[in-house]
Amino acid sequence: MAGKTTKKAAVKKKAAKPTLLAGGNPQIAKADGDAPVQAYIAAMPGWKRDVGRRLDALIVRTVPGVRKAVKWNSPFYGVDGQGWFLSFHTFTNYVKVTFFRGISLRPVPLGESKHKEVRYVDIRQNDQIDEAQMAMWIRQAAALPGWVP
């Protein structure tokens, strides 16, 4: 019987580690709150984890009381009653930051989307994150009506 208990514990431990999808994107169950976002960030591979931590900390500092969730295997950030203003997603060679109303930001982020209001910022391994610019975009985005799926 001890063998069964050990085997169950090993299966449980293995199941606790998130699966990495294409591009190393962590598969985290859809849920609201900080805990699933932190689980996503902890599961981001390599240098991308540091990018996720820095983005999360910058968003929290810039938008006190920010609402967090994981949806579609990506962290989402929003303001209660206004919808989501930002998300990010892990790809093979970069982390894509999505501003849902990015066309309204000044200056407009350069990454275009097939959705006319959305703009992206791609962060690659050796990129220096301009935290002042990113904070300015985050502040502007949080003040706009957000995206409501």
Side-chain angles (χ1 to χ4, degrees):
M1 192 159 266
K4 277 188 174 182
T5 304
T6 305
K7 192 173 184 177
K8 277 185 181 180
V11 169
K12 214 176 206 184
K13 187 175 183 178
K14 188 175 182 180
K17 187 175 181 182
T19 300
L20 295 181
L21 303 171
N25 193 54
Q27 184 177 26
I28 302 292
K30 182 178 175 180
D32 289 326
D34 183 55
V37 170
Q38 295 310 315
Y40 177 95
I41 292 168
M44 291 171 78
W47 62 269
K48 297 168 196 166
R49 185 176 312 114
D50 183 53
V51 170
R53 285 183 186 132
R54 289 181 64 195
L55 286 170
D56 183 71
L58 183 60
I59 294 163
V60 168
R61 277 195 316 269
T62 306
V63 184
V66 68
R67 180 177 168 215
K68 298 181 187 184
V70 170
K71 297 176 178 294
W72 303 287
N73 296 310
S74 296
F76 277 65
Y77 297 82
V79 175
D80 279 333
Q82 286 185 220
W84 304 107
F85 63 86
L86 180 150
S87 178
F88 61 86
H89 193 86
T90 303
F91 288 90
T92 302
N93 296 315
Y94 57 96
V95 175
K96 181 177 287 297
V97 180
T98 303
F99 290 98
F100 296 111
R101 302 285 186 237
I103 195 70
S104 299
L105 305 180
R106 296 295 175 256
V108 176
L110 297 176
E112 293 186 16
S113 170
K114 65 182 179 179
H115 305 284
K116 71 178 187 172
E117 291 190 29
V118 174
R119 287 297 179 271
Y120 300 115
V121 174
D122 294 344
I123 303 171
R124 297 181 186 282
Q125 184 170 10
N126 295 315
D127 288 352
Q128 296 298 315
I129 299 172
D130 183 343
E131 289 197 11
Q133 178 64 70
M134 192 66 75
M136 191 165 62
W137 281 328
I138 291 165
R139 196 172 297 107
Q140 290 177 50
L144 297 168
W147 176 62
V148 179

